Amino acid sequence: MNALPLLEPEVPEAVAPCCPPLTERPFTADEAETAARMFKALGDPVRLRLFTSVASHEGGEACVCDISDVGVSQPTVSHHLKKLKDAGLLTSERRGTWVYYRVEPSVLAAMGKLLTIAPVAA
Amino acid sequence: MNALPLLEPEVPEAVAPCCPPLTERPFTADEAETAARMFKALGDPVRLRLFTSVASHEGGEACVCDISDVGVSQPTVSHHLKKLKDAGLLTSERRGTWVYYRVEPSVLAAMGKLLTIAPVAA
DNA sequence: CGTCTATGTTGACATACGTCGAATCAGAGA
DNA sequence: TCTCTGATTCGACGTATGTCAACATAGACG
């Protein structure tokens, strides 16, 4: 059975239109909630290695099989990739036998904006 | 008793000379460990609000009393500030009655470098 | 000294998280 | 259809985390 299109993968775009640079002004509770979701997703060594592997892979995408050598079991890799996906940082697509992950394009821009160096407030 | 100068506050500089841009190449285990520490520290809404409050405050520093209105108890604020400090993101200094926190300068530069947009690898 | 205010520390608690092995699902191909 | 391989999901486990109330510490000021 598969007639329940209920559980959406949460927020597909969790970062994109989010927040001002970290140094511009205090974040509101909502902004903090949103941005923290991204930072949290990248706040694990394994996930960071997976993310950088995908982000730096030729073509901007990588097969799970190409990046799963990070010292943890394969289910754990899958678990982390799912978290990155739920956080809106990666997208995945199955092509035949393999599943490919790629970096959500808007994400890099949003991250760059977040960490824009502002002239250390007056 | 206070004759045990043992427990150092971990790594004062946890981010500064750390890693290449996220999109340049897969992080090594060590790089991931280091960078993840920073992301993790910012991966909590309360800490993110505290951090942005300090970072955007005039003079680049803020008294605890100025930023502790984030919806949690005072001990919790103190706890989070300590975490940001342990992660190397903030420094603190007591001046008379109040304690002032400021953003570790090298941190913003390191973060900026981390999120430099690289031309999505070939 | 004593006391008041501002912060930090401790102990306890519920929840979240990272991890694995086992089971399951998805295509490819015989 | 059966089976093989790649990937995800499930169930369980120990540990880390966020939170608070209670207590402790640090200066300031009488």
Side-chain angles (χ1 to χ4, degrees):
Chain A
M1 62 80 163
N2 63 347
L4 308 178
L6 296 177
L7 302 175
E8 289 301 320
E10 290 165 33
V11 211
E13 47 90 44
V15 190
C18 160
C19 317
L22 292 178
T23 55
E24 187 171 304
R25 58 168 171 74
F27 277 9
T28 65
D30 282 347
E31 287 169 340
E33 202 78 44
T34 302
R37 211 175 304 151
M38 181 203 74
F39 284 122
K40 193 172 188 178
L42 295 177
D44 177 272
V46 173
R47 281 198 293 273
L48 208 41
R49 293 182 71 185
L50 292 172
F51 183 84
T52 55
S53 289
V54 173
S56 66
H57 206 269
E58 62 169 312
E61 71 175 12
C63 167
V64 175
C65 57
D66 287 331
I67 60 175
S68 44
D69 190 24
V70 288
V72 295
S73 71
Q74 202 276 331
T76 301
V77 168
S78 193
H79 167 74
H80 284 305
L81 286 173
K82 178 174 167 49
K83 284 216 152 187
L84 288 167
K85 210 170 124 185
D86 287 349
L89 299 179
L90 295 180
T91 59
S92 71
E93 181 193 357
R94 170 163 227 132
R95 285 208 293 279
T97 304
W98 295 283
V99 176
Y100 293 83
Y101 281 79
R102 62 168 53 239
V103 177
E104 184 60 33
S106 60
V107 165
L108 291 177
M111 293 198 308
K113 202 167 292 177
L114 253 184
L115 295 195
T116 294
I117 304 294
V120 189
Chain B
M1 60 77 164
N2 62 346
L4 307 178
L6 297 177
L7 303 173
E8 290 301 320
E10 290 167 33
V11 211
E13 48 89 45
V15 189
C18 159
C19 317
L22 293 177
T23 55
E24 188 170 305
R25 58 168 171 74
F27 277 9
T28 66
D30 283 347
E31 289 169 340
E33 202 78 44
T34 303
R37 212 175 303 151
M38 181 203 75
F39 284 121
K40 194 172 187 178
L42 295 177
D44 177 274
V46 172
R47 282 199 292 274
L48 208 40
R49 293 183 71 184
L50 291 171
F51 183 83
T52 54
S53 290
V54 172
S56 65
H57 205 268
E58 60 170 313
E61 72 174 12
C63 168
V64 175
C65 57
D66 287 331
I67 60 176
S68 43
D69 190 23
V70 287
V72 295
S73 70
Q74 186 275 324
T76 301
V77 168
S78 192
H79 167 74
H80 284 304
L81 286 172
K82 178 174 167 50
K83 283 215 151 187
L84 288 168
K85 210 170 126 186
D86 288 349
L89 299 180
L90 295 180
T91 59
S92 70
E93 182 193 356
R94 168 162 229 133
R95 286 208 294 278
T97 304
W98 294 282
V99 176
Y100 294 83
Y101 282 78
R102 63 167 53 239
V103 177
E104 184 60 34
S106 61
V107 165
L108 291 177
M111 295 198 306
K113 202 167 291 177
L114 253 185
L115 296 195
T116 293
I117 305 294
V120 189

mmCIF file of all heavy atoms in Angstrom, chain A residues 63 74-75 78 98 101, chain D residues 5-10:
data_model
loop_
_atom_site.group_PDB
_atom_site.id
_atom_site.type_symbol
_atom_site.label_atom_id
_atom_site.label_comp_id
_atom_site.label_asym_id
_atom_site.label_seq_id
_atom_site.Cartn_x
_atom_site.Cartn_y
_atom_site.Cartn_z
ATOM 1 N N CYS A 63 27.240 10.003 -6.551
ATOM 2 C CA CYS A 63 26.520 8.789 -6.198
ATOM 3 C C CYS A 63 26.875 8.427 -4.769
ATOM 4 O O CYS A 63 27.995 8.661 -4.311
ATOM 5 C CB CYS A 63 26.926 7.658 -7.140
ATOM 6 S SG CYS A 63 26.397 6.023 -6.611
ATOM 7 N N GLN A 74 26.960 1.700 6.289
ATOM 8 C CA GLN A 74 26.198 2.241 5.170
ATOM 9 C C GLN A 74 24.828 2.780 5.615
ATOM 10 O O GLN A 74 24.408 3.839 5.152
ATOM 11 C CB GLN A 74 26.068 1.158 4.098
ATOM 12 C CG GLN A 74 25.777 1.679 2.715
ATOM 13 C CD GLN A 74 24.293 1.911 2.537
ATOM 14 O OE1 GLN A 74 23.509 1.226 3.166
ATOM 15 N NE2 GLN A 74 23.940 2.870 1.714
ATOM 16 N N PRO A 75 24.122 2.105 6.523
ATOM 17 C CA PRO A 75 22.861 2.680 7.010
ATOM 18 C C PRO A 75 23.066 4.048 7.659
ATOM 19 O O PRO A 75 22.230 4.932 7.528
ATOM 20 C CB PRO A 75 22.384 1.654 8.040
ATOM 21 C CG PRO A 75 22.951 0.379 7.577
ATOM 22 C CD PRO A 75 24.293 0.723 7.006
ATOM 23 N N SER A 78 23.375 6.637 5.025
ATOM 24 C CA SER A 78 22.045 6.923 4.494
ATOM 25 C C SER A 78 21.270 7.837 5.441
ATOM 26 O O SER A 78 20.591 8.776 5.017
ATOM 27 C CB SER A 78 21.291 5.609 4.303
ATOM 28 O OG SER A 78 20.137 5.789 3.535
ATOM 29 N N TRP A 98 21.736 3.402 -9.081
ATOM 30 C CA TRP A 98 22.328 4.267 -8.056
ATOM 31 C C TRP A 98 21.517 5.505 -7.740
ATOM 32 O O TRP A 98 20.690 5.963 -8.528
ATOM 33 C CB TRP A 98 23.739 4.673 -8.493
ATOM 34 C CG TRP A 98 24.659 3.499 -8.555
ATOM 35 C CD1 TRP A 98 25.252 2.865 -7.501
ATOM 36 C CD2 TRP A 98 25.071 2.785 -9.719
ATOM 37 N NE1 TRP A 98 26.013 1.797 -7.942
ATOM 38 C CE2 TRP A 98 25.920 1.729 -9.296
ATOM 39 C CE3 TRP A 98 24.814 2.921 -11.070
ATOM 40 C CZ2 TRP A 98 26.509 0.833 -10.203
ATOM 41 C CZ3 TRP A 98 25.381 2.034 -11.973
ATOM 42 C CH2 TRP A 98 26.227 1.001 -11.524
ATOM 43 N N TYR A 101 23.203 12.358 -5.211
ATOM 44 C CA TYR A 101 22.889 13.532 -4.398
ATOM 45 C C TYR A 101 23.576 14.745 -4.989
ATOM 46 O O TYR A 101 24.685 14.656 -5.493
ATOM 47 C CB TYR A 101 23.369 13.318 -2.961
ATOM 48 C CG TYR A 101 22.445 12.450 -2.146
ATOM 49 C CD1 TYR A 101 22.460 11.071 -2.282
ATOM 50 C CD2 TYR A 101 21.534 13.009 -1.251
ATOM 51 C CE1 TYR A 101 21.607 10.268 -1.555
ATOM 52 C CE2 TYR A 101 20.681 12.218 -0.517
ATOM 53 C CZ TYR A 101 20.716 10.854 -0.663
ATOM 54 O OH TYR A 101 19.858 10.074 0.063
ATOM 55 P P DT D 5 26.110 -9.905 -5.292
ATOM 56 O OP1 DT D 5 27.487 -10.277 -5.669
ATOM 57 O OP2 DT D 5 25.548 -10.249 -3.961
ATOM 58 O "O5'" DT D 5 25.936 -8.332 -5.481
ATOM 59 C "C5'" DT D 5 25.910 -7.753 -6.776
ATOM 60 C "C4'" DT D 5 25.366 -6.341 -6.668
ATOM 61 O "O4'" DT D 5 23.928 -6.386 -6.476
ATOM 62 C "C3'" DT D 5 25.927 -5.534 -5.500
ATOM 63 O "O3'" DT D 5 26.245 -4.226 -5.937
ATOM 64 C "C2'" DT D 5 24.797 -5.527 -4.487
ATOM 65 C "C1'" DT D 5 23.577 -5.523 -5.421
ATOM 66 N N1 DT D 5 22.333 -6.019 -4.807
ATOM 67 C C2 DT D 5 21.155 -5.379 -5.104
ATOM 68 O O2 DT D 5 21.095 -4.432 -5.850
ATOM 69 N N3 DT D 5 20.043 -5.904 -4.486
ATOM 70 C C4 DT D 5 20.002 -6.974 -3.626
ATOM 71 O O4 DT D 5 18.945 -7.348 -3.134
ATOM 72 C C5 DT D 5 21.278 -7.604 -3.351
ATOM 73 C C7 DT D 5 21.349 -8.774 -2.427
ATOM 74 C C6 DT D 5 22.368 -7.103 -3.948
ATOM 75 P P DG D 6 26.974 -3.180 -4.947
ATOM 76 O OP1 DG D 6 28.154 -2.638 -5.665
ATOM 77 O OP2 DG D 6 27.119 -3.813 -3.621
ATOM 78 O "O5'" DG D 6 25.918 -2.005 -4.817
ATOM 79 C "C5'" DG D 6 25.441 -1.361 -5.993
ATOM 80 C "C4'" DG D 6 24.316 -0.423 -5.618
ATOM 81 O "O4'" DG D 6 23.196 -1.196 -5.149
ATOM 82 C "C3'" DG D 6 24.650 0.563 -4.503
ATOM 83 O "O3'" DG D 6 24.115 1.826 -4.835
ATOM 84 C "C2'" DG D 6 23.972 -0.038 -3.283
ATOM 85 C "C1'" DG D 6 22.761 -0.720 -3.892
ATOM 86 N N9 DG D 6 22.260 -1.860 -3.143
ATOM 87 C C8 DG D 6 22.981 -2.927 -2.667
ATOM 88 N N7 DG D 6 22.237 -3.803 -2.025
ATOM 89 C C5 DG D 6 20.956 -3.276 -2.103
ATOM 90 C C6 DG D 6 19.727 -3.778 -1.595
ATOM 91 O O6 DG D 6 19.520 -4.820 -0.962
ATOM 92 N N1 DG D 6 18.657 -2.935 -1.889
ATOM 93 C C2 DG D 6 18.770 -1.754 -2.586
ATOM 94 N N2 DG D 6 17.651 -1.076 -2.774
ATOM 95 N N3 DG D 6 19.907 -1.274 -3.064
ATOM 96 C C4 DG D 6 20.952 -2.087 -2.788
ATOM 97 P P DA D 7 24.439 3.114 -3.892
ATOM 98 O OP1 DA D 7 24.405 4.308 -4.746
ATOM 99 O OP2 DA D 7 25.628 2.813 -3.069
ATOM 100 O "O5'" DA D 7 23.168 3.160 -2.940
ATOM 101 C "C5'" DA D 7 21.896 3.495 -3.514
ATOM 102 C "C4'" DA D 7 20.809 3.381 -2.463
ATOM 103 O "O4'" DA D 7 20.703 2.018 -2.028
ATOM 104 C "C3'" DA D 7 21.015 4.218 -1.202
ATOM 105 O "O3'" DA D 7 20.039 5.251 -1.207
ATOM 106 C "C2'" DA D 7 20.775 3.232 -0.052
ATOM 107 C "C1'" DA D 7 20.192 2.018 -0.728
ATOM 108 N N9 DA D 7 20.542 0.734 -0.140
ATOM 109 C C8 DA D 7 21.784 0.183 -0.024
ATOM 110 N N7 DA D 7 21.786 -1.011 0.548
ATOM 111 C C5 DA D 7 20.446 -1.234 0.827
ATOM 112 C C6 DA D 7 19.780 -2.323 1.427
ATOM 113 N N6 DA D 7 20.414 -3.420 1.870
ATOM 114 N N1 DA D 7 18.445 -2.238 1.549
ATOM 115 C C2 DA D 7 17.822 -1.137 1.109
ATOM 116 N N3 DA D 7 18.339 -0.063 0.515
ATOM 117 C C4 DA D 7 19.660 -0.177 0.408
ATOM 118 P P DT D 8 19.889 6.228 0.063
ATOM 119 O OP1 DT D 8 19.422 7.521 -0.457
ATOM 120 O OP2 DT D 8 21.115 6.144 0.885
ATOM 121 O "O5'" DT D 8 18.683 5.556 0.858
ATOM 122 C "C5'" DT D 8 17.443 5.321 0.193
ATOM 123 C "C4'" DT D 8 16.486 4.588 1.109
ATOM 124 O "O4'" DT D 8 17.044 3.311 1.474
ATOM 125 C "C3'" DT D 8 16.180 5.298 2.434
ATOM 126 O "O3'" DT D 8 14.767 5.388 2.574
ATOM 127 C "C2'" DT D 8 16.799 4.394 3.493
ATOM 128 C "C1'" DT D 8 16.726 3.037 2.810
ATOM 129 N N1 DT D 8 17.710 2.040 3.292
ATOM 130 C C2 DT D 8 17.257 0.897 3.883
ATOM 131 O O2 DT D 8 16.070 0.650 4.054
ATOM 132 N N3 DT D 8 18.232 0.023 4.292
ATOM 133 C C4 DT D 8 19.609 0.196 4.160
ATOM 134 O O4 DT D 8 20.387 -0.648 4.565
ATOM 135 C C5 DT D 8 20.009 1.426 3.528
ATOM 136 C C7 DT D 8 21.466 1.719 3.339
ATOM 137 C C6 DT D 8 19.062 2.272 3.127
ATOM 138 P P DT D 9 14.111 6.156 3.789
ATOM 139 O OP1 DT D 9 12.899 6.840 3.320
ATOM 140 O OP2 DT D 9 15.176 6.911 4.478
ATOM 141 O "O5'" DT D 9 13.657 4.963 4.749
ATOM 142 C "C5'" DT D 9 12.802 3.942 4.250
ATOM 143 C "C4'" DT D 9 12.588 2.881 5.322
ATOM 144 O "O4'" DT D 9 13.794 2.113 5.517
ATOM 145 C "C3'" DT D 9 12.203 3.423 6.708
ATOM 146 O "O3'" DT D 9 11.099 2.667 7.187
ATOM 147 C "C2'" DT D 9 13.449 3.205 7.544
ATOM 148 C "C1'" DT D 9 14.029 1.956 6.899
ATOM 149 N N1 DT D 9 15.493 1.755 7.075
ATOM 150 C C2 DT D 9 15.933 0.553 7.584
ATOM 151 O O2 DT D 9 15.187 -0.341 7.936
ATOM 152 N N3 DT D 9 17.293 0.447 7.688
ATOM 153 C C4 DT D 9 18.239 1.387 7.328
ATOM 154 O O4 DT D 9 19.434 1.167 7.462
ATOM 155 C C5 DT D 9 17.704 2.624 6.796
ATOM 156 C C7 DT D 9 18.645 3.713 6.385
ATOM 157 C C6 DT D 9 16.371 2.743 6.689
ATOM 158 P P DC D 10 10.366 3.106 8.545
ATOM 159 O OP1 DC D 10 8.918 2.912 8.365
ATOM 160 O OP2 DC D 10 10.893 4.418 8.982
ATOM 161 O "O5'" DC D 10 10.894 1.984 9.556
ATOM 162 C "C5'" DC D 10 11.027 0.648 9.095
ATOM 163 C "C4'" DC D 10 11.404 -0.294 10.231
ATOM 164 O "O4'" DC D 10 12.835 -0.494 10.234
ATOM 165 C "C3'" DC D 10 11.033 0.183 11.632
ATOM 166 O "O3'" DC D 10 10.552 -0.930 12.374
ATOM 167 C "C2'" DC D 10 12.346 0.728 12.186
ATOM 168 C "C1'" DC D 10 13.374 -0.166 11.499
ATOM 169 N N1 DC D 10 14.687 0.481 11.254
ATOM 170 C C2 DC D 10 15.864 -0.222 11.540
ATOM 171 O O2 DC D 10 15.783 -1.353 12.021
ATOM 172 N N3 DC D 10 17.055 0.364 11.286
ATOM 173 C C4 DC D 10 17.110 1.573 10.764
ATOM 174 N N4 DC D 10 18.294 2.101 10.514
ATOM 175 C C5 DC D 10 15.919 2.311 10.470
ATOM 176 C C6 DC D 10 14.735 1.736 10.727
#
